[in-house]
Each structure stands twice: as C-alpha cells, then as structure tokens.
Amino acid sequence: RQVPQIPVIITGLTDSWLAQKNWKLEELFSGKYRNCRLKVGEDDEGYSIRIKLKYFLNYMMHQKDDSPMYLFDCSFDEKETESELLRDYEVPKYFSDDLFNLISEKRRPPYRWFLIGPKRSGTSAHIDPLATSAWNALVYGRKRWLLTKPGTRKRHVKGYKLRRRGEDGEAATYFSYVVPRILEEEAKKEIRDLGIREVIQEPGEVIYVPGGWYHAVLNITHTVAVTQNFCARAQFLKIWRHVRKGRKKMAVKWLEALRIYQPDLHQAAVKANDEDGWDMEAIKSKKKKKKKKRKKRSRSSSQEERVSDSRIEHKRKDLLVESGSKRPKMDVQC
C-alpha cells in the first residue's frame, strides 16, 4: 500500500523487465529502436523537435555541452515500433491503482515519458502537474535527486535571489552553484526549513515522488529511465480540485466515470464541490452551449458552401448560353 507524502526508493521492481536488456546503450544504438524519432525539445513556436535515436545517442556520447539536450518523449506509444517500449516495462504493483485510468487516453494529460539523459542534463526544481504523484524507474546510469517538502515557497527552492550574474536555470548550474547556497542560507536560518532530501538513484531502483513535492534531477552519468504520473486514491481530493480548475472538460468526464466505477469517490468529489461552491452543472451547461455553437457554425458554413456552389453553377450555365454559337473559331496550323 502506498504511503502518502513520503518519497521512497524501492529496489527489485525492475529485475524482470525486458528493458534491462533492450535499453542498454549498445542495444538501443543497434537494435529495433535505433531509427525511432523521439522528442528532444520544442522550437520557438512550440512544435516538437524529434531526432532519430541513433543520432541522439551519437550526440550523447560525444557532446561536451554544459547543459546537454535531454530526450524526454511522452508520445512513444503512438507509433508502431516506439510503442513496443511499453512491453519492456510494467507499472510497479505499488502504483498500479491510477484513478486517471477511468478516463480515455485522449482525455487525460501526458503522463508517461521515456527518458535518455546525457551526463550533466536534468530538470530544474518543479512540482508535477495537477498535484499528481510520480514514479521514476532508472534502468541505466545514476541520477541525483533533490526534494523539498510540500508547502515550500517556490522562490526559496529555486533560489532566484541566490543566482549570480550569468548563471542560467539549468540543472547542472542549479546543483553546482545554487543548491550549496540554499543549504548555507538554510543553515543560517535566513530561510525557513525546506525539508531538503537528497538521494542518489542507482540502476534498477524506482523512486516515488508524492504530489506537492518540489524535485530537481541531475544525471550524474548517461541515463535511461521511464517515469509515469498517476492519481493515487490517498490524494484524490487534492488532485480533483486541481483537475476541475485546470482541465474542466476532463473533470466532467472523470466525474461521470467516478459515479459509475468509484461511487464513494464520486460522492467525495460532489461534497467537495458543494463545500467550495464549485458548480459542475454550470461547466456542463457551458460545454453544451459551445457544442451547439460549433454545430450551428458548421451547418451555416455548409449552407453557405451549397449556396456558393449553386451560384457558381448558375453563372457557368449563363456563360455557356451567352457564348452559344458565338464560340470563336480556331486557326489550325500544321
């Protein structure tokens, strides 16, 4: 059973995974995934930047960047070859009870990522979206984690005032320069106790990060991992309040699914809505009005197209009638 609000490292969960063989660097470079195009970032307009895995691995092995690119793909399940990555691992038994499974893949936000991180790459301090919890299974390499307890102020954990001129917000900079200053400030009581926990994750280990915990990660070596966010029963109400505000359409569908499959949680959600003065019926009504507007717009658009087509046809016939026998003669030259 999952213990809420306490990060833990669990060993022995990945021993039987096919990933232990298929995700070794030499196998990824020469095996069936080598030509898969996976996401390494976004351009200035928000479009995904994808690169073939073999090229990314070649970059990883030879790069000397201060802040290397990080392969962080959440749509690997959408293509035939890439989707075989799903067969290489399984959701650990402690985290299989995911209440987001009650809604369709289309409705739920991105929640699983295949990760390949070069040495010195990583992620800056952040809280996972919608107050969800996460598990991260490391198959290859070593990761350094920093976690702070819920309620920590963003400016303190990110160390905004402790950055010096020319220092960026990348993970390598954060761990090398900002974290030591945060610890120093904490020791001098200049800032409140952040409840900082640091841990090194070794190959084969799974780390559990409860919702609400800020966490930052630095890849000490080249790493290969998989991670998933999920909605645990123990944190349902907190997550429900985030979902109904941030993902209204998803909240409507989810509430209906809870009514059918988890009536006790449905009642808890309805009670929370009443206590908070949150009107789900108004959201449903607004959604229906938008749907009607779209249908009306679609009908009027198709009617306009039909009228336009009819006018064009009449005009074409009029032109043919007008031209009649007055069609110009053509000179034929050989």
Side-chain angles (χ1 to χ4, degrees):
R1 185 176 175 183
Q2 174 192 328
V3 180
Q5 301 304 318
I6 301 173
V8 294
I9 288 268
I10 309 171
T11 60
L13 295 180
T14 68
D15 293 349
S16 61
W17 287 8
L18 293 175
Q20 293 293 352
K21 172 183 176 294
N22 294 340
W23 295 5
K24 288 181 178 178
L25 293 185
E26 58 270 22
E27 183 64 25
L28 288 172
F29 191 81
S30 60
K32 59 184 175 181
Y33 301 126
R34 65 193 305 268
N35 288 312
C36 293
R37 299 176 65 86
L38 298 170
K39 183 177 177 180
V40 294
E42 295 180 346
D43 62 19
D44 293 339
E45 295 179 354
Y47 292 103
S48 295
I49 299 173
R50 296 181 177 276
I51 186 172
K52 284 188 177 181
L53 180 55
K54 60 183 179 183
Y55 297 143
F56 179 80
L57 292 173
N58 186 61
Y59 156 79
M60 181 173 77
M61 301 307 292
H62 295 92
Q63 61 81 26
K64 295 181 180 179
D65 299 343
D66 292 333
S67 301
M69 287 192 296
Y70 199 170
L71 192 150
F72 214 92
D73 194 284
C74 66
S75 58
F76 62 87
D77 58 331
E78 296 176 2
K79 294 182 180 179
E80 186 176 354
T81 303
E82 288 91 324
S83 65
E84 292 185 29
L85 289 165
L86 293 171
R87 301 177 192 171
D88 292 341
Y89 76 95
E90 60 184 8
V91 176
K93 59 184 178 181
Y94 303 111
F95 315 120
S96 58
D97 185 19
D98 182 1
L99 292 171
F100 281 162
N101 286 334
L102 296 176
I103 52 179
S104 67
E105 291 281 326
K106 181 182 176 182
R107 284 291 177 196
R108 71 180 294 175
Y111 68 101
R112 60 185 169 206
W113 291 265
F114 175 62
L115 318 172
I116 301 181
K119 183 179 179 180
R120 296 183 305 282
S121 65
T123 54
S124 57
H126 65 283
I127 295 176
D128 285 341
L130 301 177
T132 54
S133 300
W135 58 266
N136 182 300
L138 183 61
V139 176
Y140 180 92
R142 303 175 77 225
K143 288 177 180 283
R144 179 183 174 188
W145 289 75
L146 179 143
L147 305 99
T148 65
K149 64 185 181 182
T152 303
R153 292 185 177 180
K154 184 178 180 179
R155 68 174 185 271
H156 288 162
V157 68
K158 283 186 171 286
Y160 288 135
K161 291 184 178 180
L162 301 177
R163 283 189 204 165
R164 294 176 184 169
R165 189 173 181 178
E167 293 179 352
D168 57 31
E170 298 294 337
T173 303
Y174 180 74
F175 277 93
S176 297
Y177 303 108
V178 180
V179 169
R181 293 171 198 151
I182 291 174
L183 295 173
E184 188 179 333
E185 292 288 302
E186 192 179 36
K188 291 191 296 186
K189 307 295 183 183
E190 295 291 333
I191 56 176
R192 58 178 286 188
D193 177 23
L194 304 182
I196 291 176
R197 303 186 184 197
E198 288 196 78
V199 65
I200 303 297
Q201 185 184 16
E202 303 290 349
E205 294 183 342
V206 176
I207 186 169
Y208 162 62
V209 182
W213 283 72
Y214 270 102
H215 52 283
V217 187
L218 179 70
N219 292 309
I220 301 172
T221 66
H222 302 325
T223 61
V224 182
V226 63
T227 184
Q228 288 195 188
N229 288 74
F230 64 100
C231 174
R233 176 177 279 268
Q235 295 171 296
F236 168 70
L237 282 179
K238 186 176 181 181
I239 292 172
W240 168 249
R241 287 185 166 98
H242 279 78
V243 169
R244 72 184 185 188
K245 180 181 179 182
R247 294 211 170 229
K248 294 183 175 63
K249 291 181 180 179
M250 172 182 163
V252 171
K253 296 287 185 183
W254 196 25
L255 189 63
E256 180 61 23
L258 289 167
R259 184 183 65 80
I260 299 169
Y261 300 107
Q262 298 282 349
D264 58 326
L265 294 180
H266 176 267
Q267 289 177 4
V270 171
K271 183 180 178 182
N273 290 344
D274 291 341
E275 291 173 351
D276 301 339
W278 192 273
D279 190 353
M280 288 298 292
E281 291 303 318
I283 294 173
K284 289 181 184 178
S285 175
K286 193 174 181 181
K287 185 182 173 186
K288 286 179 181 177
K289 285 180 180 178
K290 283 185 177 179
K291 199 171 183 179
K292 283 182 180 178
K293 279 184 179 179
R294 281 199 300 269
K295 282 185 177 179
K296 189 176 179 181
R297 202 180 297 123
S298 178
R299 279 199 299 270
S300 63
S301 177
S302 59
Q303 285 173 357
E304 286 174 7
E305 285 177 6
R306 284 197 294 272
V307 170
S308 179
D309 289 344
S310 176
R311 286 174 179 168
I312 290 170
E313 181 62 21
H314 281 302
K315 194 167 184 179
R316 189 181 72 82
K317 288 180 179 178
D318 290 343
L319 287 170
L320 287 174
V321 170
E322 285 176 13
S323 60
S325 57
K326 298 179 182 178
R327 192 173 297 169
K329 294 180 180 180
M330 299 188 66
D331 295 327
V332 181
Q333 296 180 352
C334 296

